[in-house]
Structures are given as C-alpha cells and as structure tokens.
C-alpha cells in the first residue's frame, strides 16, 4: 500500500474548524475543487463531482465527533488507485486556541508507481488544506 499525508497549522479554535469541515457533506463549503455533494444511504455515502464532471463516490467508514475525525473510502473516482481509505482530523493545539488539521490516506496504486500515486494525493491534500485556510481566513472578522 502507498500512503500520502499533509497537515496544516491554523490560528483557529479546533471547534470552529471542525464545525466547518466535520460534516461528511461539507466539502463544498471549503473545498472549491468540489462544488457539489449529495448524500445517500442515510448520510453514509457522498456523491461528489469535480469541475470536469467526473463522479467521485465515497463511503463514511468511521466518524468520531469527540475526536474531531472521520474516515472514508472511495467507491468510485477517476484516480489510479484501489482500496483507498483516508482520515481527516482536527487536533487542538496551544490549549485549544489553535488547530492542526491532518489529512492522510492509504491506497493501492493501479497503473502508476507508489510514488506517483502518493504525490497525487499529497497534492490534493495540500491544496485542500490551503483552501481550508483561505476559507477560514475569509470568515475571520
């Protein structure tokens, strides 16, 4: 299995960060790459579309509101991997006056090297976390 991860430190309370990103249907609220999300199967499956119109279908595997994390798998996507499983987590820092957001995943590359697949998802995670930072900065008074 290949792995990828990224993290970002934010000067925002973890509760506020989690309020924005903790909903399994919340990606369009902070990730410009995903303009639309629709839930099915009682909120356990999200149907996303990227700007090119490619379908991305993901299943919520675990959710822990107290720990501010959720884990999901990809059921359908235009990525060269199988067995994709990822976790998004918000960790309080500096006495919960700031946050660290961690996004990590593991997967089996198909038709590409482990390094190429890892670079792809590390780029997605980094870009996503930068978008999160920008969204939170824009919301600050």
């Amino acid at each position: 299995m290949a792995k990828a991860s990224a993290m970002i430190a934010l000067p925002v309370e973890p509760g506020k960060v989690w309020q924005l990103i903790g909903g399994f249907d919340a990606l369009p609220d902070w990730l410009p790459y995903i303009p639309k999300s629709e839930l099915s199967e009682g909120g356990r499956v999200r149907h996303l579309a990227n700007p090119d119109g490619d379908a991305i279908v993901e299943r919520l595997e675990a959710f822990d509101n107290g720990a501010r994390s959720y884990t999901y798998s990809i059921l359908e996507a235009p990525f060269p991997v199988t067995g994709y499983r990822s976790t998004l987590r918000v960790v309080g820092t500096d006495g919960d006056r700031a946050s660290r957001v961690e996004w990590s995943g593991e997967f089996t590359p198909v038709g590409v090297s482990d390094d190429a697949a890892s670079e792809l998802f590390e780029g997605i995670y980094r870009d996503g976390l930068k978008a999160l930072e920008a969204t939170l900065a824009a919301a600050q008074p």
Side-chain angles (χ1 to χ4, degrees):
M1 289 210 114
K3 296 181 180 187
S5 64
M7 77 88 152
I8 193 167
L10 300 168
V12 180
E13 298 169 16
K16 288 184 179 178
V17 177
W18 184 243
Q19 185 176 6
L20 176 61
I21 72 172
F24 192 54
D25 198 30
L27 286 179
D29 296 340
W30 60 275
L31 192 59
Y33 179 71
I34 302 295
K36 183 173 92 167
S37 174
E38 294 178 5
L39 293 178
S40 66
E41 295 187 29
R44 303 224 13 117
V45 174
R46 65 184 174 196
H47 300 262
L48 312 168
N50 68 18
D52 295 332
D54 296 323
I56 302 169
V57 181
E58 299 172 335
R59 176 178 297 282
L60 182 64
E61 300 292 345
F63 182 88
D64 188 331
N65 197 51
R68 298 186 199 101
S69 74
Y70 69 79
T71 299
Y72 64 97
S73 60
I74 289 180
L75 304 177
E76 176 187 340
F79 303 125
V81 300
T82 61
Y84 178 96
R85 189 172 172 93
S86 181
T87 299
L88 186 62
R89 172 180 292 120
V90 179
V91 179
T93 60
D94 192 26
D96 272 356
R97 290 188 295 271
S99 305
R100 182 178 69 245
V101 181
E102 304 167 350
W103 199 350
S104 62
E106 57 184 28
F107 36 84
T108 301
V110 176
V112 297
S113 69
D114 284 11
D115 287 345
S118 293
E119 286 176 23
L120 169 69
F121 284 103
E122 283 174 7
I124 289 170
Y125 299 162
R126 272 193 316 272
D127 290 349
L129 294 175
K130 286 178 189 171
L132 171 62
E133 181 178 39
T135 299
L136 287 165
Q140 294 297 318

